[in-house]
């Protein structure tokens, strides 16, 4: 019992460590950290628009709320200073014939309310600027322009954040596991991908990268070395008709990095297969990218995906997503090299007819001449 628990705990720790070393998560987020960057963090303020868009919603709303409250309070202080300098406040006991710069500013609170009304263009009509002070007129113009800029920036940032293609990418899903089995007489690695919306992705393109640690002939160790993995669909890997789930596959030939792997050794390999799907959103014409990754434990050798599309009695095509990641065991060669050897032996055993061959009979005679 103790040995069993120790084995389970060891496997759990090994699985967690492998997950921590994953570069791309299943939902497409990159697990990477930048350290010792020489450039200052102020360089992000140069591209302030992208910085604001990349912020999370809680930080974005905190910045906008702080900007509004700060501008209202700052201009409220300025309006109070204008009223104080012009001696419009009640503590100066202005005369009946006194014309204030701003009507009905009696203190800091009323100055803040006037600043709020001016910037958001509420206009209750109780407080207003008079033509007595040029300073007040200039401050009114300046605050109005600044308020329009803040409002425009906030509305644009929120609209761009909501309409970003990253949200559209969440409606594209990949199968939980990749499978390796025969397809069309060839050993292939298959992955299933589905579009959860009825709107299409225009100009979709699917490709992959195999990340692994390699050692060059010169002895250099390259971490996260990238190897191109070509994925195809029966109709081609570009301009996909992505209305129903598709099964993409990579042919394991002699040029494939999976060629020297086998069913018994694939779990001992150290690699990460990252799959990308690029496309243009039909509604917004924005380009989006969906990505996911598979580690050796998520590549099932000797399986294929269960059927997912059927036809109803009403003549409609029905997609059952309950079987989306379901796999079925099938007879599969335990390595690609074995499959190619079987094909080579089959060709050697097979005979071929030569249509140009003619059988001729030779007549033997018993007489010999000396």
């Amino acid at each position: 019992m103790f040995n069993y628990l120790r084995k389970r705990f060891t496997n759990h720790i090994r699985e967690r460590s492998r997950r921590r070393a994953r570069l791309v998560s299943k939902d497409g987020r990159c697990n990477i950290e930048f350290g010792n960057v020489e450039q200052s963090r102020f360089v992000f303020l140069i591209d302030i628009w992208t910085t604001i868009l990349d912020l999370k919603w809680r930080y974005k709303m905190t910045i906008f709320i702080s900007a509004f409250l700060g501008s209202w309070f700052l201009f409220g202080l300025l309006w109070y200073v204008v009223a104080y300098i012009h001696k419009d406040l009640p503590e100066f006991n202005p005369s009946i014939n006194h014309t204030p710069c701003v009507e009905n500013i009696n203190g800091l609170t009323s100055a803040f309310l006037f600043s709020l009304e001016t910037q958001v263009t509420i206009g209750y009509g109780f407080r207003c600027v008079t033509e007595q002070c040029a300073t007040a007129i200039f401050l009114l113009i300046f605050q109005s322009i600044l308020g329009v800029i803040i409002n425009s920036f906030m509305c644009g940032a929120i609209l761009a954040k909501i309409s970003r293609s990253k949200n559209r990418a969440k409606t594209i899903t990949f199968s939980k596991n990749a499978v390796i089995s025969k397809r069309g007489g060839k050993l292939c690695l298959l992955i299933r991908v589905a579009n959860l919306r009825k709107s299409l992705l225009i100009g979709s393109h699917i490709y992959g990268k195999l990340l692994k640690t390699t050692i060059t002939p010169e002895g250099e160790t390259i971490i996260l070395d990238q190897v191109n993995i070509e994925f195809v669909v029966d109709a081609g890997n570009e301009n996909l008709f992505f209305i129903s789930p598709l099964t993409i596959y990579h042919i394991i030939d002699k040029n494939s990095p999976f060629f020297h792997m086998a069913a018994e050794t694939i779990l001992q390999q150290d690699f990460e297969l990252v799959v990308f799907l690029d496309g243009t959103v039909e509604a917004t014409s924005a380009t989006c990218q969906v990505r996911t990754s598979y580690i050796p434990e998520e590549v099932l050798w000797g399986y294929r995906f269960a059927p997912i599309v059927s036809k109803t009695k009403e003549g409609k095509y029905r997609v059952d997503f309950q079987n989306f990641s379901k796999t079925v065991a099938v007879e599969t060669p335990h390595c690609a090299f074995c499959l190619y050897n079987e094909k080579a032996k089959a060709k050697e055993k097979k005979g071929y007819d030569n249509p140009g061959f003619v059988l001729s009979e030779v007549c033997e005679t018993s007489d010999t001449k000396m």
Side-chain angles (χ1 to χ4, degrees), residues 19-51:
R19 287 180 180 176
R20 285 196 297 267
R22 195 173 197 147
L23 178 65
V24 180
S25 63
K26 297 296 289 184
D27 57 358
R29 290 178 297 179
C30 295
N31 180 27
I32 191 168
E33 179 182 347
F34 297 102
N36 299 325
V37 180
E38 296 181 359
Q39 294 181 344
S40 174
R41 293 185 179 271
F42 289 102
V43 297
F44 294 100
L45 296 178
I46 299 176
D47 188 13
I48 186 64
W49 178 253
T50 305
T51 303

Side-chain angles (χ1 to χ4, degrees), residues 352-362:
Y352 296 91
D353 292 332
N354 186 3
F357 176 76
V358 178
L359 178 64
S360 60
E361 297 182 358
V362 179

